[in-house]
């Protein structure tokens, strides 16, 4: 059964300070108007979790405010208590506001804004603002949803100033399978470390720009073309980005710029830090070139990407990224001291794991051109990667890290750019092995004898050696 059910005729109610959990149906079913779920301080916060969806706003539900709730977690915002393939918040109505919530751990979408097959209502004019979607309340940690935000057959909705990070597939996924999905304005968000694209229009991963003039194709968000960036320079106070946009003629576009320490594996996006925006006007052929200088008080890297939004509010996917550090060095200490999580694997003891990992680091120690020295510090109980703990960790047991399908391991680095240079300081570097390959049915992790060319298993030492290359700044 539903935890709290608000009928279509139940209006202007408040649901505050409740722990709504372990119900057979969704935590809150909301079909009324002008209701408030949560409030502006901890006492008003609702904690909603259990074996079904969090909050469902029916097509009849309009003008409702959902704010400052913890959805899918416990009261600390650090534990994954969502169960099954459900959504954190499902919106089928219009003119609703979802603001300042923590929405994490769901097997489907953190937020789903879609038309219902049982209703003619097209969800529109909903505002998703300043939420944390896929994160823990602990800085630098994730509680992934499958997707951060999903939209299908919805129009004129705004996604503003959210943190959408750590989700297993897409940060924001917009499709039109049930009807047109247009005018979805995605602005000033922080979208990063999701398993696949930060923003995906349609179902074909990166949607390349049209080769024809005037951006003629159609689809989710009109398949708005993204900017093409071609130059980048930094000083200690600002960043200058050059590039072009080709789209509709004589039209006004807003181009937003983002910085990240590490680019997406697709090379398109994502965007950890919102840098700023510029308004541009295309000429008769739909073309405009720009050179934009943006003041910087703080930035998190030299990899820059951008989006474009048309006058109707259709936002593009992220552009291909530009930039990066030409050199990297240790920020705090030398040598590079690393820890290994002390938990054994099902087939191998910790001692066997340590031997394989240390052998991988020793391989790089022997490379004369790698100006790094590696030193094993100790084993540790810590199992989860953290961008801010200062511990360089190797772990097979991080159950929260967002892995895209088929990814064996990830090197997660925190870099700080040195002003007026192309040099990055390494603040923290963790190597995280995908736990799903510990007991994979066909190709598990293994410790293989030297020279093995027959086994289909993934050799731990080889994978670690590859990932250490990423610590050194190498790319694929």
């Amino acid at each position: 059964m539903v935890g709290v059910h608000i009928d279509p005729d139940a209006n202007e109610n408040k649901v505050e300070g409740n722990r709504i959990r372990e119900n057979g149906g969704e935590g809150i079913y909301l079909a009324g108007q002008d209701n408030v779920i949560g409030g502006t301080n901890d006492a008003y916060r609702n904690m909603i979790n259990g074996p079904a969806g969090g909050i469902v706003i029916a097509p009849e539900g309009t003008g409702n405010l959902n704010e400052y709730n913890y959805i899918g977690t416990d009261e600390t915002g650090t534990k994954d208590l969502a169960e099954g393939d459900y959504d954190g918040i499902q919106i089928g109505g219009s003119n609703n506001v979802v603001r300042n919530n923590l929405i994490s751990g769901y097997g489907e979408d953190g937020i789903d804004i879609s038309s219902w097959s049982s209703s003619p209502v097209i969800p529109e004019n909903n505002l998703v603002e300043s939420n944390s979607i896929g994160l823990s309340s602990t800085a630098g940690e994730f509680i992934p949803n499958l997707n951060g935000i999903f939209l299908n057959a919805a129009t004129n909705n705004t996604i503003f100033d959210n943190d959408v990070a750590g989700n297993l597939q897409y940060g924001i996924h917009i499709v039109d399978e049930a009807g047109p999905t247009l005018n979805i304005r995605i602005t000033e968000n922080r979208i990063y470390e999701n398993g696949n694209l930060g923003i995906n229009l349609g179902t074909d991963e990166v949607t390349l720009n049209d080769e024809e003039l005037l951006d003629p194709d159609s689809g989710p968000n009109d398949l708005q073309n993204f900017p093409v960036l071609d130059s980048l320079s930094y000083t200690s106070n600002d960043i200058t980005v050059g590039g072009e946009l080709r789209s509709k003629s004589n039209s006004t576009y807003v181009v937003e710029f983002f910085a990240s320490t590490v680019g997406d594996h697709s090379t398109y996006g994502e965007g950890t830090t919102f840098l700023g925006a510029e308004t541009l006007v295309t000429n008769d052929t739909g073309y405009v070139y720009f050179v934009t200088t943006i003041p910087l008080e703080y930035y998190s890297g030299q990899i820059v990407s951008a989006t474009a939004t048309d006058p109707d509010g259709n936002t593009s996917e992220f552009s291909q990224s530009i930039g990066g550090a030409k050199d990297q060095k240790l920020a705090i200490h030398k040598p590079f001291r690393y820890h290994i999580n002390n938990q054994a694997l099902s087939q191998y003891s910790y001692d066997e794991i340590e031997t394989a990992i240390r052998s991988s680091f020793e391989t790089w120690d022997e490379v004369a051109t790698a100006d790094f020295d590696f030193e094993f510090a100790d084993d540790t109980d810590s199992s989860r990667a953290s961008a801010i703990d200062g511990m360089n960790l190797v772990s097979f047991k991080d159950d929260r890290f967002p892995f895209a399908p088929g990814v064996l391991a990830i090197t997660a680095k925190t870099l700080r750019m040195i002003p007026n240079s192309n040099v990055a300081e390494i603040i923290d570097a963790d190597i995280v092995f995908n736990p799903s390959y510990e007991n994979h049915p066909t190709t598990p992790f293994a410790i293989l004898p030297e020279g093995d060319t027959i086994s289909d298993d993934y050799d731990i030492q080889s994978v670690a050696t590859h990932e250490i290359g990423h610590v050194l700044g190498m790319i694929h």
Side-chain angles (χ1 to χ4, degrees):
M1 297 294 291
V2 174
V4 176
H5 189 114
I6 300 177
D7 287 330
D9 295 329
N11 305 318
E12 300 183 5
N13 298 286
K14 293 184 178 181
V15 181
E16 300 173 343
N18 299 283
R19 284 162 174 71
I20 303 170
R21 54 193 176 188
E22 299 303 324
N23 296 287
E26 52 268 9
I28 298 176
Y29 182 91
L30 179 54
Q33 300 178 12
D34 302 319
N35 298 282
V36 177
I37 311 299
T40 56
N41 63 47
D42 292 351
Y44 296 148
R45 173 182 296 143
N46 298 289
M47 181 197 63
I48 305 168
N49 58 58
I55 298 174
V56 173
I57 303 176
E60 304 94 329
T62 62
N64 298 290
L65 172 61
N66 298 267
E67 63 177 353
Y68 287 95
N69 300 292
Y70 279 2
I71 304 170
T73 74
D74 68 341
E75 59 270 15
T76 69
T78 61
K79 294 182 179 179
D80 181 359
L81 299 180
E83 302 174 30
D85 294 334
Y86 296 96
D87 302 317
I89 298 180
Q90 184 182 131
I91 303 174
S94 300
N95 300 299
N96 299 285
V97 176
V98 176
R99 177 186 295 141
N100 288 312
N101 301 281
L102 175 65
I103 309 165
S104 297
Y106 284 92
E108 289 294 332
D109 309 308
I111 298 176
D112 182 323
I113 305 176
S114 301
S115 298
W116 291 19
S117 60
S118 59
S119 171
V121 172
I122 304 297
E124 61 181 359
N125 299 322
N126 295 290
L127 172 62
V128 177
E129 178 183 2
S130 301
N131 300 281
S132 294
I133 304 170
L135 293 96
S136 163
S137 62
T138 300
E141 295 187 2
F142 302 124
I143 306 176
N145 304 292
L146 182 63
N147 297 297
I149 302 173
F150 177 82
L151 300 100
N152 187 7
T155 61
N156 298 304
N157 298 284
T158 299
I159 302 169
F160 167 65
D161 189 40
N162 301 277
D163 287 276
V164 185
N167 298 287
L168 297 178
Q169 291 191 0
Y170 305 107
I172 299 173
H173 192 192
I174 303 175
V175 303
D176 58 2
E177 296 170 346
T181 308
L182 297 168
N183 308 340
I184 309 302
R185 185 180 298 274
I186 305 169
T187 178
E188 298 187 28
N189 299 280
R190 294 158 298 281
I191 304 172
Y192 57 98
E193 293 193 42
N194 297 286
N196 290 321
L197 296 180
I199 301 172
N200 187 21
L201 305 182
T203 58
D204 58 351
E205 299 300 321
V206 176
T207 302
L208 298 178
N209 287 341
D210 300 299
E211 296 183 2
E212 301 90 346
L213 294 177
L214 306 181
D215 196 0
D217 57 356
S218 61
N221 260 12
D222 258 351
L223 297 181
Q224 169 61 47
N225 281 352
F226 49 75
V228 176
L229 308 182
D230 62 12
S231 67
L232 179 69
S233 63
Y234 276 86
T235 72
S236 59
N237 299 313
D238 56 43
I239 171 177
T240 299
V241 186
E244 65 180 38
L245 177 66
R246 297 180 183 272
S247 199
K248 300 289 193 290
S249 64
N250 303 309
S251 297
T252 301
Y253 292 85
V254 176
V255 173
E256 296 189 358
F257 301 95
F258 303 86
S260 301
T261 56
V262 179
D264 187 77
H265 59 83
S266 69
T267 74
Y268 289 79
E270 300 176 67
T272 304
T273 302
F274 172 66
L275 296 175
E278 181 166 359
T279 300
L280 307 170
V281 179
T282 56
N283 63 17
D284 290 346
T285 66
Y287 175 80
V288 60
Y289 188 83
F290 56 86
V291 177
T292 301
T293 298
I294 306 166
L296 287 178
E297 295 181 2
Y298 170 80
Y299 58 98
S300 61
Q302 270 194 332
I303 296 177
V304 174
S305 60
T307 60
T309 301
D310 74 8
D312 293 324
N314 294 293
T315 298
S316 71
E317 295 178 355
F318 281 109
S319 72
Q320 192 162 30
S321 300
I322 187 173
K326 291 184 179 179
D327 196 10
Q328 297 178 14
K329 67 179 185 179
L330 296 178
I332 301 173
H333 46 66
K334 190 175 182 179
F336 178 97
R337 304 182 75 244
Y338 62 93
H339 296 72
I340 303 174
N341 172 257
N342 57 21
Q343 294 175 267
L345 300 184
S346 58
Q347 302 297 324
Y348 300 101
S349 68
Y350 167 75
D351 288 342
E352 291 173 302
I353 297 299
E354 180 186 313
T355 297
I357 298 300
R358 294 181 68 170
S359 295
S360 299
F361 280 100
E362 289 165 5
T363 297
W364 281 104
D365 272 331
E366 295 170 0
V367 177
T369 55
D371 188 24
F372 279 64
D373 295 317
F374 295 105
E375 180 181 295
F376 175 59
D378 204 350
D379 62 86
T380 176
D381 292 336
S382 297
S383 62
R384 291 172 177 160
S386 172
I388 58 174
D389 65 1
M391 176 189 291
N392 303 309
L393 174 69
V394 179
S395 176
F396 291 79
K397 297 294 184 177
D398 190 333
D399 56 357
R400 291 186 179 176
F401 201 92
F403 287 96
V407 174
L408 299 176
I410 290 287
T411 297
K413 290 197 295 185
T414 302
L415 303 178
R416 180 175 62 216
M417 300 307 304
I418 299 175
N420 300 310
S421 76
N422 278 324
V423 178
E425 294 179 317
I426 301 173
I427 305 299
D428 186 285
D430 299 325
I431 297 174
V432 188
F433 285 75
N434 190 339
S436 67
Y437 283 90
E438 178 178 351
N439 295 300
H440 194 277
T442 57
T443 53
F445 288 133
I447 297 176
L448 300 178
E450 185 174 354
D452 184 293
T453 59
I454 300 175
S455 176
D456 291 329
D457 296 350
Y458 290 112
D459 180 55
I460 289 172
Q461 183 173 335
S462 298
V463 174
T465 302
H466 175 96
E467 294 302 321
I468 296 165
H470 295 316
V471 173
L472 295 169
M474 297 181 177
I475 61 175
H476 291 104

